[in-house]
Amino acid sequence: MSRTRWRFGLAATAFLVAAGLLPAPAHAEDAADYAITVDPTAKGAKIDDTMYGVFFEDINRAADGGLYAELVQNRSFEYSTDDNRSYTPLTSWTVDGAGQVVNDDGRLNARNRNYLSLAAGSTVTNAGYNTGVHVEEGKKYDFSVWARAESGTTLTVSLQDADGSLATARQVAAKGGWAKYKATFTATRTSSDGRLTVASSAAAALDMVSLFPRDTYKHQANGLRKDLAEKVAALHPGFVRFPGGCLVNTGSMEDYSEASDWQRKRSYQWKDTIGRVEERATNSNFWGYNQSYGLGYYEYFRLSEDIGAMPLPVVPALVTGCGQNRAVDDDALLKRHIQDTLDLIEFANGPVTSTWGKKRARMGHPKPFHLTHIEVGNEENLPVEFFARFKEFRAAIAAKYPDITVISNSGPDDSGSTFDTAWQLNKDAKVDMVDEHYYNSPQWFLQNNDRYDSYDRSGPKVFLGEYASLGNAFKNGLAEAAYMTGLERNADVVKLASYAPLFANEDYVQWQPDLVWFNNHASWNSANYEVQKLFMTNVGDRVVPSTATGTPSLTGPIAGAVGLSTWATTAAYDDVKVTDADGNSLLSDDFSGDASKWTHSGGGSWSVQDGQYVQTDVAAENTMVSAGDTDWHDYDLHVKATKKSGKEGFLVAFGVKDTGSYYWWNLGGWNNTQSAVEQAVDGGKSTLISKAGSVETGRAYDIDIKVRGRQVTLYLDGQEWGSFTDDKPAEPFRQVVTKDKKTGDLIVKVVNAQSTAARTAIDLGGAKVASKARVTTLTADPNAVNSETGTPVVPVKSTFDGVADRFTYTFPANSVTFLRIKQR
């Protein structure tokens, strides 16, 4: 074959190293030269105090066993099995003797339906979360239980671990109908493996068995775990978005009033989560576990107030998202949800004389919570159906509460047909603000710093409600930091932004990366947290326009082998052909023999069957097999693909470098609702082009992919499906300058996401400044990850004495640096 020799410039090589496309050199080169020019006389975008916030969703056990301080798991015996998961009403409990969970007319109340019937002389023990119940020596813990014992009983309550007692046992006399009984423990030892045991001398019914640390955040009853709440407060967030996320718009939209359908999974609805704790529901949620509503809307509002943040609730719009496609066509139910939203605003802001304001006051907060923003819906895949419902919500809210900002959304991706349709509907209807969500590779964040530069300044504002670079290593934080300089530069368009998710319990992970990690006794900040904190506590009030030199250009071709894969699907492939630009054959395989040309690097079960290469494991995800040379470029790939069974379609890869770096055409992905081209770099994927669509089971599709330089054209059954050009440089050097009105500081924020130091000439444009700057630096190995036992990514504070109108500063390799420079 004839091959074209491609050349890379020095600058391009530097950013490709940073993006993970080339290995880092064994010895970093001398510092690369950059320049930053600041114009202190020009007025940039105003930055609102609420620019950065947090998003709390009950994912990764973020609430029960996490931020909610309750130490007893499944305290009300309400856990239920859903989607073939093995939860039972006795999950986390062990009964010694005779006892069973009962659901009959003797229950505690209509929403707390299960209770434990315990025979005389029997005991029940709770295992808590993670390794057990965590207690600390000398600290107090408040026990409570609802009990019914018609003939009377003595409840002996104890805390112990394998080494013995953790506190002096307490005895509680109970007699008669349901009543709440309390006791207090003082821990005599520290343990993370404790067990709470309740023994009954006579027959008794038990419910809402609870153990709370006395030392909760702000010493609130039914409160929050102190160390986790303090980590949120330390960010000084401008807002708190809650409760989801996928919890909002998945599951049934009905409430908990139907006794015949009690165990059904439901969306998160605010009225289920307030009032007396013993009268709140427990739900089998979207993320695969049961959540109590002990941490409900009242506690969310209270946390927002305690940390000085704006509450930002999200309510369901009766259209599903998160990989589901369903619009509820029930006008009466829609009207009920609209009224529920109006009632929520009244609960937050209404006077104590109003219906819902009175309920808030009875819970202990007569003053309003000052709600100003509310979001309708989350990541809906059906933009037309969603927007029809959104307009009804917005009209009802505007009629009664015209000062409330009503936020819409643009679906689950950063681009594609759903995104484009949603944004056009939002623009046409002059929506105030649109929520965007995306989780992409570090390379995508380095490539797309200019994303909002071209947004319509007169159109809807942007709420970046969920984003992350798919990893908790420092290189992920660096990419996010580089991107955040673009958010600030465009603060006139991007009004709110929050990393997601916020919390992860290390033993119960449904999604990662996450900002704060914890177990039952410790918590630690991720590298991403340290980046967010640095930006959130050094925002400034206005952007000071500035420019930087050194942007590289991308000149190399897309190169790599070819691959086949499946995701929760069985599929058959045939007639694979790869030819170069001149028509010469690079690979031809009709599987009439064996599959020796292919390397199996993923899961699944591949075999040659009847002249096809077949993957037969319907549960396996990313079953990648590859063939060819990683140096291949400028080629045509042909594949015949047939879905045999499962919930998705098939994946055809090109530009395959290794198991974590490739492009693939994902046909029938996202539960067979979308097709997209995704790029993976070091395991993190981002979407380059997407469209709604599905594939048929049993139908053979002809797939052709034409790769020329950095342009790719895709054909399905001979018709062009789409094309893209991947030519945006992953710029590793980014900066923004803001001014803090209160202190008068210029804040020069520089991200150097490469293995070479950046020697930078800084021109402050004639500004009169003090010679000394306060410096905060984050720097570490790009692969460094914080953990319970080690935190290599931590901020370091210092001073720099060489500041002048023009000065030089060398920013370390792989660093985020903030210079606070006092103006005279």
Side-chain angles (χ1 to χ4, degrees):
M1 64 175 287
S2 63
R3 297 198 179 196
T4 304
R5 186 181 294 263
W6 293 85
R7 299 182 63 85
F8 289 83
L10 179 61
T13 301
F15 89 80
L16 286 173
V17 168
L21 298 180
L22 292 177
H27 301 285
E29 298 177 27
D30 291 338
D33 288 320
Y34 290 87
I36 297 174
T37 303
V38 182
D39 185 356
T41 63
K43 182 176 283 191
K46 180 181 181 296
I47 306 175
D48 295 340
D49 292 339
T50 53
M51 173 76 178
Y52 295 122
V54 295
F55 165 43
F56 181 93
E57 180 175 11
D58 193 351
I59 182 175
N60 307 315
R61 302 274 185 158
D64 297 325
L67 184 61
Y68 187 45
E70 173 65 76
L71 298 174
V72 176
Q73 184 175 177
N74 189 21
R75 64 185 177 186
S76 59
F77 309 100
E78 297 290 328
Y79 276 18
S80 62
T81 299
D82 182 78
D83 294 342
N84 298 316
R85 297 182 176 99
S86 57
Y87 292 105
T88 74
L90 280 175
T91 294
S92 198
W93 291 99
T94 302
V95 175
D96 185 6
Q100 62 178 337
V101 174
V102 179
N103 178 352
D104 61 16
D105 291 341
R107 64 179 65 94
L108 179 60
N109 58 61
R111 292 197 173 199
N112 196 333
R113 303 175 67 79
N114 290 346
Y115 63 92
L116 179 68
S117 176
L118 198 63
S122 299
T123 66
V124 62
T125 299
N126 190 267
Y129 294 92
N130 299 94
T131 56
V133 175
H134 174 70
V135 295
E136 295 182 35
E137 183 179 353
K139 291 194 173 182
K140 293 184 181 298
Y141 296 84
D142 294 320
F143 167 83
S144 65
V145 63
W146 283 80
R148 189 189 71 217
E150 304 301 340
S151 301
T153 188
T154 297
L155 302 176
T156 301
V157 188
S158 59
L159 278 168
Q160 67 282 319
D161 62 11
D163 294 327
S165 174
L166 294 171
T168 302
R170 303 297 183 191
Q171 289 192 328
V172 177
K175 187 173 183 179
W178 286 109
K180 186 176 183 179
Y181 300 92
K182 301 179 182 180
T184 298
F185 291 96
T186 299
T188 55
R189 288 189 294 113
T190 294
S191 174
S192 297
D193 308 314
R195 298 291 187 269
L196 175 73
T197 296
V198 181
S200 184
S201 63
L206 307 179
D207 207 344
M208 293 296 292
V209 183
S210 173
L211 186 69
F212 257 89
R214 178 77 58 86
D215 189 19
T216 59
Y217 183 64
K218 300 285 187 180
H219 304 287
Q220 305 263 20
N222 194 51
L224 306 181
R225 181 171 147 175
K226 188 175 181 180
D227 63 324
L228 295 181
E230 286 177 343
K231 288 186 183 299
V232 179
L235 293 169
H236 298 287
F239 64 88
V240 180
R241 177 179 184 254
F242 58 87
C246 293
L247 294 184
V248 167
N249 59 343
T250 56
S252 167
M253 301 292 174
E254 300 287 350
D255 63 18
Y256 282 80
S257 60
E258 293 297 326
S260 62
D261 192 24
W262 191 254
Q263 304 290 6
R264 189 176 181 185
K265 181 166 62 180
R266 291 166 173 81
S267 64
Y268 195 107
Q269 298 170 49
W270 78 271
K271 289 180 180 177
D272 296 326
T273 76
I274 66 165
R276 297 176 183 273
V277 174
E278 65 272 13
E279 294 176 355
R280 301 183 194 178
T282 295
N283 194 20
S284 175
N285 77 13
F286 174 82
W287 294 113
Y289 58 89
N290 286 254
Q291 63 180 130
S292 81
Y293 287 146
L295 200 172
Y297 255 86
Y298 177 76
E299 289 75 24
Y300 283 130
F301 281 137
R302 193 172 64 187
L303 171 63
S304 299
E305 180 179 69
D306 284 344
I307 63 178
M310 174 181 79
L312 205 166
V314 187
V315 297
L318 278 72
V319 180
T320 59
C322 302
Q324 303 177 5
N325 284 328
R326 182 172 59 91
V328 178
D329 188 15
D330 185 331
D331 190 60
L333 187 59
L334 176 62
K335 285 182 169 55
R336 196 213 86 196
H337 275 269
I338 292 172
Q339 185 59 52
D340 283 350
T341 302
L342 297 175
D343 293 343
L344 173 59
I345 298 171
E346 184 175 287
F347 177 76
N349 294 349
V352 296
T353 54
S354 66
T355 300
W356 292 97
K358 183 183 296 184
K359 292 181 184 292
R360 180 194 69 239
R362 286 176 177 171
M363 293 185 72
H365 202 285
K367 294 182 179 180
F369 283 115
H370 305 294
L371 177 67
T372 60
H373 292 63
I374 197 163
E375 183 174 354
V376 177
N378 171 76
E379 292 189 11
E380 280 77 15
N381 294 319
L382 302 172
V384 174
E385 292 83 348
F386 160 73
F387 203 74
R389 289 157 178 78
F390 171 83
K391 288 193 295 184
E392 294 196 47
F393 276 86
R394 185 177 66 162
I397 294 169
K400 190 168 185 179
Y401 301 105
D403 294 333
I404 296 289
T405 297
V406 185
I407 303 172
S408 181
N409 74 81
S410 58
D413 298 307
D414 61 87
S415 61
S417 58
T418 297
F419 178 88
D420 292 340
T421 300
W423 254 106
Q424 192 60 54
L425 290 168
N426 286 309
K427 285 182 178 179
D428 291 345
K430 293 181 170 52
V431 169
D432 289 330
M433 190 175 291
V434 178
D435 188 3
E436 294 188 355
H437 294 179
Y438 37 83
Y439 297 90
N440 290 323
S441 67
Q443 180 183 353
W444 185 94
F445 284 93
L446 292 173
Q447 287 178 313
N448 287 277
N449 178 276
D450 64 348
R451 174 180 176 89
Y452 296 107
D453 291 0
S454 59
Y455 268 50
D456 182 359
R457 267 44 203 171
S458 62
K461 303 304 180 185
V462 172
F463 171 24
L464 181 49
E466 297 183 31
Y467 73 99
S469 72
L470 298 177
N472 278 140
F474 186 49
K475 63 185 177 184
N476 300 98
L478 284 169
E480 291 155 5
Y483 192 72
M484 293 171 79
T485 66
L487 300 182
E488 291 192 4
R489 187 176 64 251
N490 290 285
D492 57 328
V493 169
V494 183
K495 307 305 288 184
L496 306 169
S498 51
Y499 179 103
L502 178 58
F503 286 122
N505 185 319
E506 66 174 352
D507 291 335
Y508 307 96
V509 180
Q510 284 80 33
W511 181 279
Q512 54 184 324
D514 304 282
L515 210 58
V516 175
W517 289 78
F518 66 91
N519 51 38
N520 70 352
H521 62 275
S523 58
W524 54 97
N525 304 332
S526 67
N528 318 68
Y529 176 97
E530 297 297 353
V531 165
Q532 292 290 323
K533 184 179 179 182
L534 189 55
F535 275 84
M536 293 169 78
T537 56
N538 293 277
V539 182
D541 302 287
R542 187 174 291 278
V543 174
V544 180
S546 60
T547 57
T549 63
T551 301
S553 60
L554 186 58
T555 57
I558 292 174
V562 299
L564 310 171
S565 189
T566 61
W567 197 288
T569 302
T570 67
Y573 294 94
D574 201 358
D575 295 334
V576 179
K577 298 176 182 177
V578 182
T579 56
D580 68 15
D582 296 327
N584 301 308
S585 177
L586 300 177
L587 173 69
S588 180
D589 200 340
D590 63 2
F591 302 105
S592 56
D594 57 24
S596 58
K597 298 176 181 178
W598 298 84
T599 300
H600 184 192
S601 55
S605 178
W606 289 90
S607 61
V608 174
Q609 300 179 15
D610 300 323
Q612 296 180 312
Y613 202 18
V614 184
Q615 197 292 113
T616 56
D617 185 349
V618 73
E621 298 180 348
N622 192 0
T623 63
M624 177 83 79
V625 292
S626 60
D629 192 327
T630 56
D631 290 331
W632 281 355
H633 60 83
D634 293 276
Y635 56 75
D636 297 304
L637 166 63
H638 171 81
V639 181
K640 190 178 289 292
T642 306
K643 172 183 175 179
K644 298 177 74 68
S645 67
K647 61 183 181 181
E648 305 226 345
F650 31 78
L651 304 119
V652 178
F654 56 98
V656 178
K657 291 294 188 183
D658 52 44
T659 56
S661 298
Y662 52 84
Y663 300 79
W664 68 18
W665 189 2
N666 184 350
L667 288 135
W670 295 272
N671 288 321
N672 205 15
T673 62
Q674 295 184 65
S675 295
V677 176
E678 298 176 282
Q679 181 183 16
V681 178
D682 288 340
K685 289 199 292 289
S686 54
T687 300
L688 302 180
I689 180 174
S690 69
K691 296 181 180 181
S694 60
V695 300
E696 299 174 23
T697 301
R699 175 183 167 186
Y701 290 85
D702 283 307
I703 297 168
D704 291 277
I705 301 172
K706 180 179 180 180
V707 182
R708 293 294 183 272
R710 301 205 67 82
Q711 183 173 7
V712 178
T713 308
L714 306 110
Y715 301 87
L716 187 62
D717 287 336
Q719 300 296 313
E720 183 173 333
W721 177 87
S723 65
F724 68 92
T725 302
D726 181 23
D727 60 356
K728 298 187 73 172
E731 169 59 64
F733 184 87
R734 293 292 186 184
Q735 58 81 37
V736 69
V737 180
T738 65
K739 183 174 181 178
D740 187 324
K741 183 171 61 176
K742 183 177 180 180
T743 64
D745 291 352
L746 286 176
I747 312 173
V748 180
K749 313 174 187 184
V750 176
V751 181
N752 183 26
Q754 60 188 327
S755 57
T756 302
R759 184 172 50 228
T760 307
I762 301 175
D763 183 347
L764 296 179
K768 294 181 178 181
V769 294
S771 61
K772 182 178 290 187
R774 288 179 290 141
V775 184
T776 306
T777 306
L778 283 171
T779 185
D781 184 282
N783 295 310
V785 177
N786 287 350
S787 67
E788 181 183 358
T789 57
T791 53
V793 184
V794 292
V796 175
K797 295 185 181 297
S798 61
T799 58
F800 175 68
D801 293 330
V803 178
D805 174 35
R806 295 183 180 182
F807 67 101
T808 298
Y809 191 94
T810 299
F811 296 96
N814 303 306
S815 66
V816 183
T817 306
F818 280 28
L819 304 173
R820 293 193 72 113
I821 301 171
K822 184 75 68 177
Q823 286 189 285
R824 290 176 175 172

